[in-house]
Amino acid sequence: MAAYIIRRLLLMIPTLFGIMVLNFIIVQIAPGGPVEQMIAQLQGHETGAGSRIAGNSQSEVSNSSSNSGDSSYRGAQGLDPELIERIEKLYGFDKPAHERFFIMVKNYITFDFGDSFYRDAKVIDLILEKLPVSISLGLWSTLLIYLISIPLGIKKAVTNGSAFDVWTSSLIIIGFAIPGFLFAILLIVVFAGGSYLDWFPLRGLTSSNFDQLPWYEQILDYFWHITLPVISLVIGGFATLTMLTKNSFLDEINKQYVTTARAKGLTEQRVLYGHVFRNAMLIIISGVPATLVGILFTGSLLIEVIFSLDGLGLLGFESALNRDYAVVFSSLYIFTLMGLLLKLIGDISYMLVDPRIDFESREG
């Protein structure tokens, strides 16, 4: 067991490296990097990104020569070549791509993610600032998805073909077909002052006077704000897990050992939860890491935008638009690392559910 965990941890190193290489190449190929956006801003074009040197740069431009020499950047005409070099040095683009990559990898090993290009803050501070919002959405949504999907899936498997199974399958199909962000808009229209009821707030994770509220009202205020976003994520995630649970239990129920257990006189509850449950839950446990990572870092993106929740999804989206490479790569690094660790935790959970699983023999 210990040897398996060590091997898995060591395998994370080339996996992380390969993912970073691939995404670094893709981002480098994409047009409109931070230098180009700064040049466009200095030339008077709106790019939507802030700058730490905009004020000083504008004054330098006004005093610089009208010829930019042989600058390789399109749109750089009229800017002083020395200013272009200063911008390149600011963003680290005065070095070759391969050198920038290995410097980045060296820093990331010690979790030194540098500074954001456009937000005038350390990347790690930005991530820590946004992390509670995404964790709130991810944990509550994952918890509710599993609390709903597993009992519902078991009930559907036990009553397979019944009226209950048919009409719940219809609801599941509808939930699967409607994207979470469309359901979020529907909830806003109906319950957040859109056209009908005004029961829930539209923006943020807490009220403006949150710090002045007593602790019990703070808890109520928090759940009041997070109700609609979590419901939106749950609707988009419970359908697949419910059907996975049903099919997994149906597969186990039809096996020979279940028939043998019934022949011995065991009750249906004892057969279901004493024998079937342990085996059927293995495939469901394997999906926990993927479900949690998906909700934390991808599924909540549009939900955060719609409900104005300033989390990691929104941060990554804005950083990609602004070509804020420091935030993009560090977010990718952290997301990938967390995903790999959660996958390892999921594998170890197999043993907790069924001690018969032998990691060593599986590796062999």
Side-chain angles (χ1 to χ4, degrees):
M1 181 66 177
Y4 170 79
I5 295 176
I6 293 174
R7 281 196 295 270
R8 285 291 299 271
L9 292 174
L10 291 176
L11 282 173
M12 291 181 187
I13 298 175
T15 303
L16 275 173
F17 185 80
I19 292 175
M20 296 302 294
V21 169
L22 180 61
N23 284 275
F24 186 85
I25 293 174
I26 293 174
V27 169
Q28 295 301 310
I29 294 175
V35 176
E36 290 89 337
Q37 293 207 23
M38 174 60 73
I39 291 173
Q41 186 179 32
L42 294 177
Q43 291 283 36
H45 302 290
E46 292 294 334
T47 63
S51 171
R52 287 175 292 171
I53 64 167
N56 294 334
S57 299
Q58 291 284 9
S59 62
E60 290 185 34
V61 172
S62 62
N63 297 326
S64 65
S65 170
S66 61
N67 295 320
S68 60
D70 298 327
S71 174
S72 60
Y73 295 100
R74 296 178 61 184
Q77 290 79 10
L79 295 181
D80 190 338
E82 294 182 358
L83 179 57
I84 302 298
E85 293 178 2
R86 180 170 175 238
I87 296 174
E88 289 178 337
K89 186 175 182 180
L90 174 68
Y91 294 134
F93 281 81
D94 56 330
K95 301 179 179 67
H98 69 277
E99 186 176 344
R100 297 200 309 272
F101 175 77
F102 284 108
I103 291 175
M104 179 185 70
V105 171
K106 179 183 176 182
N107 292 333
Y108 281 15
I109 292 175
T110 59
F111 290 91
D112 179 11
F113 301 119
D115 298 330
S116 169
F117 291 165
Y118 298 109
R119 294 175 180 263
D120 194 21
K122 289 186 176 298
V123 173
I124 190 64
D125 292 337
L126 288 174
I127 293 176
L128 292 176
E129 178 186 348
K130 314 299 182 184
L131 193 58
V133 175
S134 295
I135 288 179
S136 294
L137 291 176
L139 290 182
W140 286 116
S141 300
T142 303
L143 178 63
L144 287 177
I145 287 173
Y146 273 80
L147 287 177
I148 294 172
S149 299
I150 293 177
L152 180 59
I154 295 174
K155 180 67 175 178
K156 287 174 64 63
V158 173
T159 60
N160 184 41
S162 66
F164 173 83
D165 182 41
V166 172
W167 72 261
T168 52
S169 294
S170 301
L171 293 178
I172 289 172
I173 292 173
I174 294 173
F176 183 78
I178 300 177
F181 71 91
L182 286 182
F183 197 80
I185 295 174
L186 175 63
L187 291 177
I188 290 175
V189 171
V190 177
F191 297 108
S195 300
Y196 299 96
L197 305 174
D198 191 9
W199 289 355
F200 295 95
L202 180 59
R203 298 176 179 274
L205 202 59
T206 57
S207 300
S208 57
N209 64 334
F210 181 80
D211 293 334
Q212 285 74 45
L213 298 175
W215 65 269
Y216 56 90
E217 290 189 13
Q218 287 183 342
I219 295 175
L220 293 176
D221 182 78
Y222 167 76
F223 282 108
W224 183 45
H225 281 77
I226 206 172
T227 297
L228 295 186
V230 167
I231 291 176
S232 303
L233 289 171
V234 169
I235 291 296
F238 90 100
T240 302
L241 184 60
T242 299
M243 296 308 298
L244 177 64
T245 304
K246 175 188 174 182
N247 294 332
S248 178
F249 272 79
L250 278 177
D251 183 58
E252 292 295 325
I253 288 173
N254 294 324
K255 289 185 177 179
Q256 183 63 41
Y257 75 89
V258 175
T259 303
T260 303
R262 288 170 175 166
K264 290 180 178 181
L266 297 180
T267 64
E268 284 297 317
Q269 292 295 318
R270 180 69 182 275
V271 172
L272 182 63
Y273 293 104
H275 297 275
V276 175
F277 185 83
R278 183 177 61 183
N279 296 324
M281 284 298 293
L282 289 176
I283 190 173
I284 299 170
I285 289 176
S286 67
V288 174
T291 302
L292 183 57
V293 172
I295 292 177
L296 275 174
F297 307 127
T298 56
S300 63
L301 170 59
L302 290 176
I303 302 301
E304 289 181 9
V305 174
I306 292 172
F307 289 98
S308 300
L309 301 175
D310 196 8
L312 288 176
L314 184 59
L315 174 66
F317 176 72
E318 292 178 346
S319 300
L321 289 181
N322 292 330
R323 301 296 193 273
D324 195 344
Y325 293 163
V327 177
V328 171
F329 285 123
S330 59
S331 299
L332 174 67
Y333 178 83
I334 292 176
F335 296 169
T336 304
L337 181 60
M338 290 184 66
L340 293 173
L341 290 174
L342 286 172
K343 180 62 177 175
L344 176 59
I345 293 173
D347 286 347
I348 296 174
S349 299
Y350 285 166
M351 190 191 68
L352 300 178
V353 176
D354 190 349
R356 295 173 298 174
I357 293 180
D358 186 356
F359 287 103
E360 297 299 328
S361 62
R362 190 176 74 170
E363 285 292 295

